[in-house]
Amino acid sequence: MAMWDKIKDQAKTFQQSQGTRGASGHGQQGHGQHGQQGFAGGSGSSSGGSKAQLIGLFKSQLASVKTELKSGAYRDASMAMCALVAAADGQVEPAERQRVEELIVTNEVLQNFPADQLRQRFNQHVDKLLANFELGRSEALQVIAKAAKKPAEARAVIQTGMVIAGADGVFEPAEQYAIREACTALGVPPSEFGV
């Protein structure tokens, strides 16, 4: 869970640059002073809605550049990213595949593209990953790397992956790893996303 705390911290400082950093032992569920509850005044919004807030933050960052995210490179790279995240542990249950498809076609930014194009690309990558994980992974990463030319698009691909990965409120180690690999392919420092 530490990773969420890390990103949460980043998101917090990102939003309020006067960094109310309070107790330096961050992460350890309000240790000491605030007891377990993190009372009213505490900036300890300990887990609670933090994942949702974070996903909300990424979504609003994406929405703010929505008009720039219309290229085929972004579409293809973000679908490869979503497939990598969905198949991160080497398998995708049909229900999981359907859930991710739903998230993709209802995603505000991805509505720049026809739903069937998104579904087709996402499923193509998932099929390849399930047939031969290593081969599918390297193909997906090649597609992702094509979005590296535009930094705004590159970051948007990672944010899209994180929104999809974090939608269930759990960030699996395998999903974090997939996101790190995509960061490397795009030349974006993973630390920017706390992974």
Side-chain angles (χ1 to χ4, degrees):
M1 272 340 234
M3 150 171 191
W4 277 115
D5 290 333
K6 227 189 332 183
I7 311 186
K8 202 168 68 194
D9 276 359
Q10 289 183 340
K12 238 190 287 179
T13 48
F14 173 83
Q15 285 180 310
Q16 19 144 282
S17 31
Q18 75 270 30
T20 349
R21 257 189 155 29
S24 56
H26 43 282
Q28 262 47 49
Q29 297 302 99
H31 82 36
Q33 315 148 332
H34 296 318
Q36 288 314 298
Q37 303 313 316
F39 305 118
S43 60
S45 49
S46 36
S47 45
S50 61
K51 294 184 198 69
Q53 281 167 0
L54 185 69
I55 297 301
L57 180 72
F58 285 142
K59 277 184 176 163
S60 58
Q61 287 175 353
L62 280 166
S64 68
V65 290
K66 178 179 178 176
T67 51
E68 297 163 44
L69 300 175
K70 291 185 176 168
S71 74
Y74 166 70
R75 177 198 58 204
D76 296 353
S78 55
M79 287 310 92
M81 176 84 255
C82 291
L84 269 186
V85 164
D89 55 2
Q91 55 190 17
V92 185
E93 305 296 321
E96 163 78 350
R97 188 190 276 231
Q98 214 175 348
R99 192 182 67 83
V100 176
E101 261 192 40
E102 273 306 295
L103 288 165
I104 288 169
V105 297
T106 55
N107 181 293
E108 185 192 349
V109 174
L110 292 168
Q111 284 173 357
N112 280 335
F113 307 102
D116 54 345
Q117 284 184 14
L118 299 173
R119 278 203 188 92
Q120 183 206 354
R121 284 163 173 76
F122 168 70
N123 283 307
Q124 238 170 6
H125 282 295
V126 172
D127 291 341
K128 286 179 183 171
L129 284 157
L130 294 180
N132 179 333
F133 189 75
E134 284 310 308
L135 191 65
R137 200 185 87 207
S138 71
E139 282 190 27
L141 287 167
Q142 280 169 11
V143 173
I144 287 170
K146 289 179 184 166
K149 293 184 198 78
K150 297 183 182 165
E153 282 186 9
R155 284 182 174 75
V157 168
I158 303 295
Q159 287 172 329
T160 304
M162 293 193 81
V163 166
I164 301 298
D168 56 0
V170 183
F171 223 140
E172 305 292 343
E175 292 174 342
Q176 293 181 36
Y177 182 70
I179 294 209
R180 271 203 300 274
E181 286 195 306
C183 285
T184 306
L186 288 165
V188 178
S191 58
E192 260 191 48
F193 299 95
V195 287

